[in-house]
Amino acid sequence: MTSTIAIEVNHLIKTYKGSATPAVNNISFRIESSSIFGLLGPNGAGKTTTISMLCGLIKASGGEAKLLGLSISTELEKIKQQIGVVPQEIALYPTLTAFENLRYIGNMYGLKGERLKKNIFEHLEIVGLQAQANKRVETFSGGMKRRINLIAGILHQPKILFLDEPTVGVDVQSRNLITEHLHQLNKKGCTIIYTSHLMEEAENLCSDIAIIDNGEIISSGKPKVLIAEHSAENLEQLFLKLTGKKLRD
Amino acid sequence: MLRLFATIRKELLILLRDRGGLAIMFLMPMTLITIMALIQDAPFRDYQEFKIPLLLVNNDTGNLGVAIEKGLKESKIFEIQKEQDDEEQVKKSIKGGDFEIGIIIPKNVSELLNAKVNQFVAKKLTEVGFDDPSKTNTVSVAADLNIQILFAPETKKSFKASILSSLKQSTSKIETQTIMDIFSKQFKTDDSQVSKSEPIGDFVNFAEVSTIDTPKEALLLNSVQHNVPAWTIFGMFFIVISLAGSIIKERDDGSYTRLRTMPGSYINVMAGKITSYLFICMIQCLLMLMVGMFLLPHLGLPKLVIGNSFSAVFIVALSTGLAATGYGILVGTIFSTHQQSSTFGAVSVVILAALGGIWVPVYVMPDSIRMFSEFSPLYWALSAFHKVFLNQGTVQCILPFALKLLSFFTFAIGASYFYNKAATK
């Protein structure tokens, strides 16, 4: 079976204005299509900066990256049509209903009419929120908001999905439902790039991982292979072995 | 208690490290107090501190004309320009906004004053039996001694009264002096022997000449014509707070991040905001004008007259709304917290309103402040509304103001765009 490359990163650098050291320092990696890729690292390691460059939120200081063969520096608008982003924050409008929020986001991706409505209700049904479609988001629990937040990122059926801590602060049931839904999406061909501090969740979800620290990738590969290579019991132990126990701020 | 002190310490540390917040908390109120004190102080100060532009037409060659002119100069409250215009020309100059006041001294008023005083003195002497009426010059002088005075249409009644009183003071001196001179001649005695407490005639009248040509214009001299557009503009600009707040909220809760990862540029997102808030502004304007036209008359106030050009009103409202939304976007883009943007937004609009003549007409402000009025978008908007409402202005009349407002909008949007672009680098 031949695999195609969804994301190709070559010598990517980002140095913020006024900072002497780069936040991301000459990193290179490849992500195969239809994989679930975990970008793991302690606080301030460079995860968010890397994802922000790939999504076009910030410009790279050097290097190049291609998503689905499209360059982030010259073909960003085309890339934006193909990607979905689920930020760590609940990026929803609290005074709008779940349906109104999703309709707005769908419209922003060019979706409209009955097709969009059907699409929204199908997703709401999957995450168990169909009955709450017309309730204001401000009345929802944390887990419910997280589920709506996820739908907002996948409504337009992106080929690549970026997830930043998608299950933070939610109960086990909601987390289980979200991860199951992510698996379903992945089976349909969506490439997922995922960041998290929850090592157990990453170990179960990701087909590939990269551990980033101080702006550099210090290890990458299949989780089970990496765990075995470093004689660790699990991903968390591997993570601590590679990044150390020193507190990060 | 420990919790209380710990909380106070934490809050103070946060505040002290927030330079923007500190500037808003201290510098902005100081600026506001200074500007407001200067502006509000002006109307209450002695008129001698003002220089009111006055157009004087002195057709009299005698003492009275000279005395009035001298009195005006000595009062130091007027910036006098002498012309030989007729009444129509003076009216035109005042309506055009070149002068606040016009005074026309007719020909031969000095001779008329002498004749009237002679008549008055003869009458008084006859009353007390000092003279034989048949021997005294008692030629009846029927003509009124009227000095014409013209005020700008928007001049307030209290201001007119003060000016008239000041002018009356200067003419009463020459009236008294003339009476004294004639009494002296009659008795061949010194002025001081005549009781100055004797009531004397009111010979010189200041007849106000209306600068209003049409009955429609007569409706314009009221507070409704000033206050409705003034507070409409103020209200429209106050959307700055909610608009800036919405931008900051989207940035804080990650919605803006999500929006930026979606297809379509920053301009598309901002255009959507501008359109929505502009719509709100237009509704605001429409409702406020309707209040002036339909509600205020029920409260015993005059009805708002919006002039003859609906197109001009629409263009003024549209350009004012755009200027307000542009300003809101700029404030929301530059400031990082809702507290900062709302405080700055509110206080800056109040300052711009004060400078723009929303509370106190710009013409009574000191020169030092009036200079800054020229830079207030609220002043441009108010001037444009006044052109349409007070002067029956057409689209052509308001275009310079509309262009200024649109330039302000363009500047604000451009500055926001480049600020945002720089922030993503």
Side-chain angles (χ1 to χ4, degrees):
Chain A
M1 188 179 131
T2 55
S3 64
T4 54
I5 301 300
I7 297 175
E8 188 175 3
V9 175
N10 290 311
H11 308 291
L12 206 59
I13 299 168
K14 178 65 189 180
T15 307
Y16 286 107
K17 205 177 171 183
S19 172
T21 52
V24 169
N25 190 10
N26 199 26
I27 61 167
S28 300
F29 60 89
R30 284 176 165 199
I31 300 172
E32 286 179 8
S33 290
S34 303
S35 63
I36 301 181
F37 183 85
L39 189 62
L40 312 173
N43 290 336
K47 305 185 295 287
T48 305
T49 302
T50 305
I51 286 182
S52 295
M53 282 190 283
L54 296 179
C55 297
L57 290 170
I58 53 170
K59 283 183 181 168
S61 310
E64 172 63 337
K66 284 185 174 179
L67 279 75
L68 304 166
L70 301 164
S71 163
I72 58 164
S73 48
T74 57
E75 295 166 294
L76 197 57
E77 280 305 304
K78 286 181 188 169
I79 290 173
K80 284 180 177 179
Q81 287 282 2
Q82 315 269 5
I83 64 168
V85 178
V86 180
Q88 189 178 340
E89 302 92 352
I90 305 290
L92 300 167
Y93 299 93
T95 53
L96 296 185
T97 65
F99 177 76
E100 287 164 344
N101 267 288
L102 296 171
R103 184 178 57 188
Y104 169 68
I105 288 159
N107 287 158
M108 292 299 282
Y109 280 106
L111 308 174
K112 58 184 178 182
E114 278 304 308
R115 199 178 144 204
L116 172 63
K117 196 175 169 184
K118 197 178 158 213
N119 195 2
I120 290 169
F121 277 99
E122 276 173 8
H123 277 91
L124 286 171
E125 194 179 2
I126 292 168
V127 299
L129 289 172
Q130 199 175 18
Q132 279 76 34
N134 293 315
K135 285 188 179 164
R136 286 187 179 195
V137 167
E138 65 188 353
T139 64
F140 287 7
S141 69
M144 290 160 84
K145 284 177 186 169
R146 282 270 162 221
R147 283 179 265 162
I148 301 290
N149 205 31
L150 174 66
I151 298 173
I154 60 175
L155 201 58
H156 61 295
Q157 294 168 324
K159 289 184 179 160
I160 298 174
L161 178 64
F162 292 93
L163 296 157
D164 190 5
E165 306 269 3
T167 58
V168 72
V170 299
D171 60 20
V172 178
Q173 285 80 6
S174 282
R175 189 187 300 167
N176 180 53
L177 199 145
I178 289 170
T179 50
E180 264 186 27
H181 195 43
L182 291 175
H183 275 299
Q184 292 300 319
L185 278 172
N186 182 243
K187 278 181 188 169
K188 287 178 186 171
C190 180
T191 306
I192 295 171
I193 293 90
Y194 161 92
T195 73
S196 180
H197 288 105
L198 300 168
M199 292 299 133
E200 195 186 337
E201 186 181 283
E203 195 177 334
N204 293 332
L205 190 68
C206 300
S207 53
D208 297 273
I209 60 160
I211 295 174
I212 185 169
D213 198 12
N214 297 317
E216 292 175 7
I217 289 179
I218 51 174
S219 186
S220 64
K222 305 275 177 201
K224 281 183 182 157
V225 175
L226 290 176
I227 289 165
E229 272 178 7
H230 291 84
S231 309
E233 285 178 15
N234 52 37
L235 190 58
E236 187 168 327
Q237 212 176 62
L238 169 71
F239 185 83
L240 285 170
K241 268 191 172 181
L242 293 172
T243 59
K245 290 184 178 176
K246 193 181 164 192
L247 292 173
R248 309 299 177 93
D249 297 315
Chain B
M1 287 302 277
L2 179 66
R3 282 178 184 169
L4 177 66
F5 287 125
T7 308
I8 291 168
R9 187 172 58 189
K10 186 236 349 171
E11 291 297 332
L12 285 175
L13 282 171
I14 291 169
L15 286 171
L16 286 171
R17 285 165 194 169
D18 180 7
R19 288 183 188 177
L22 282 176
I24 285 169
M25 277 187 282
F26 296 102
L27 288 178
M28 292 288 287
M30 276 158 61
T31 313
L32 183 64
I33 287 167
T34 310
I35 290 173
M36 290 306 292
L38 279 166
I39 291 169
Q40 297 283 12
D41 179 48
F44 301 107
R45 276 188 289 161
D46 192 274
Y47 285 119
Q48 287 191 357
E49 291 180 44
F50 292 112
K51 288 282 180 194
I52 301 160
L54 183 146
L55 178 59
L56 177 67
V57 180
N58 186 2
N59 296 316
D60 181 49
T61 49
N63 291 341
L64 183 59
V66 173
I68 291 172
E69 198 175 324
K70 196 180 163 199
L72 290 170
K73 278 179 187 165
E74 282 175 356
S75 71
K76 291 178 182 172
I77 60 173
F78 302 111
E79 195 180 302
I80 302 165
Q81 189 174 324
K82 279 184 78 177
E83 296 290 345
Q84 287 302 314
D85 296 343
D86 62 17
E87 189 184 308
E88 276 311 305
Q89 285 169 311
V90 174
K91 199 185 274 188
K92 202 176 163 189
S93 300
I94 289 173
K95 286 177 81 175
D98 299 330
F99 299 94
E100 279 302 315
I101 302 167
I103 293 177
I104 303 170
I105 306 170
K107 262 184 186 175
N108 306 324
V109 282
S110 299
E111 287 172 26
L112 194 58
L113 176 66
N114 276 330
K116 278 185 164 284
V117 171
N118 264 320
Q119 188 185 341
F120 169 79
V121 171
K123 192 182 164 197
K124 288 285 170 193
L125 290 174
T126 307
E127 278 170 14
V128 293
F130 273 101
D131 206 351
D132 180 355
S134 61
K135 289 178 185 173
T136 316
N137 177 17
T138 55
V139 178
S140 175
V141 184
D144 285 333
L145 205 166
N146 285 337
I147 310 284
Q148 291 173 296
I149 182 159
L150 300 91
F151 290 101
E154 67 272 20
T155 310
K156 289 183 174 170
K157 277 183 183 173
S158 56
F159 186 69
K160 280 183 189 178
S162 304
I163 296 295
L164 284 169
S165 153
S166 170
L167 286 168
K168 195 72 202 153
Q169 243 181 350
S170 64
T171 55
S172 68
K173 280 182 192 168
I174 185 116
E175 286 174 345
T176 312
Q177 189 56 50
T178 310
I179 292 165
M180 294 306 145
D181 289 348
I182 289 168
F183 265 113
S184 300
K185 277 178 196 166
Q186 292 283 336
F187 288 99
K188 296 197 171 33
T189 181
D190 187 67
D191 291 2
S192 58
Q193 291 177 351
V194 181
S195 167
K196 288 186 180 177
S197 61
E198 181 82 15
I200 58 168
D202 202 4
F203 303 105
V204 181
N205 298 315
F206 282 93
E208 191 186 332
V209 178
S210 175
T211 50
I212 298 156
D213 291 326
T214 62
K216 201 164 190 180
E217 279 186 12
L219 291 167
L220 307 179
L221 298 171
N222 59 62
S223 64
V224 171
Q225 292 301 124
H226 172 75
N227 283 315
V228 173
W231 295 108
T232 299
I233 295 163
F234 188 73
M236 285 164 90
F237 266 84
F238 241 76
I239 61 136
V240 164
I241 295 162
S242 53
L243 176 51
S246 98
I247 291 171
I248 289 168
K249 197 181 169 302
E250 273 188 352
R251 207 164 50 212
D252 284 351
D253 69 13
S255 301
Y256 182 63
T257 303
R258 197 202 290 277
L259 285 171
R260 283 176 56 216
T261 64
M262 290 177 177
S265 65
Y266 165 83
I267 290 172
N268 286 332
V269 175
M270 284 302 141
K273 276 198 187 295
I274 291 164
T275 310
S276 316
Y277 279 85
L278 182 62
F279 176 71
I280 301 293
C281 278
M282 296 301 277
I283 298 287
Q284 243 184 338
C285 185
L286 181 69
L287 287 175
M288 297 281 261
L289 296 184
M290 282 172 75
V291 165
M293 290 169 78
F294 304 112
L295 178 68
L296 296 186
H298 290 290
L299 302 173
L301 287 166
K303 183 183 175 181
L304 176 75
V305 177
I306 62 163
N308 298 323
S309 175
F310 286 102
S311 320
V313 177
F314 179 76
I315 291 170
V316 176
L318 190 74
S319 45
T320 305
L322 280 170
T325 50
Y327 188 47
I329 285 173
L330 182 63
V331 171
T333 304
I334 289 173
F335 287 95
S336 52
T337 69
H338 194 270
Q339 285 91 334
Q340 283 180 358
S341 77
S342 58
T343 312
F344 178 85
V347 177
S348 64
V349 169
V350 167
I351 290 173
L352 290 171
L355 289 172
I358 301 293
W359 292 323
V360 179
V362 169
Y363 69 83
V364 298
M365 292 179 191
D367 285 344
S368 55
I369 294 294
R370 211 183 305 173
M371 194 170 71
F372 292 108
S373 297
E374 296 288 334
F375 299 100
S376 167
L378 282 85
Y379 172 71
W380 305 330
L382 188 60
S383 302
F385 271 119
H386 278 172
K387 280 274 174 203
V388 185
F389 292 1
L390 297 175
N391 302 341
Q392 313 293 303
T394 58
V395 171
Q396 209 178 355
C397 296
I398 56 91
L399 273 184
F401 300 108
L403 285 174
K404 279 185 184 179
L405 288 162
L406 292 175
S407 305
F408 178 78
F409 165 72
T410 311
F411 163 77
I413 296 298
S416 308
Y417 175 75
F418 288 111
Y419 188 92
N420 232 356
K421 210 172 174 186
T424 59
K425 277 184 182 171

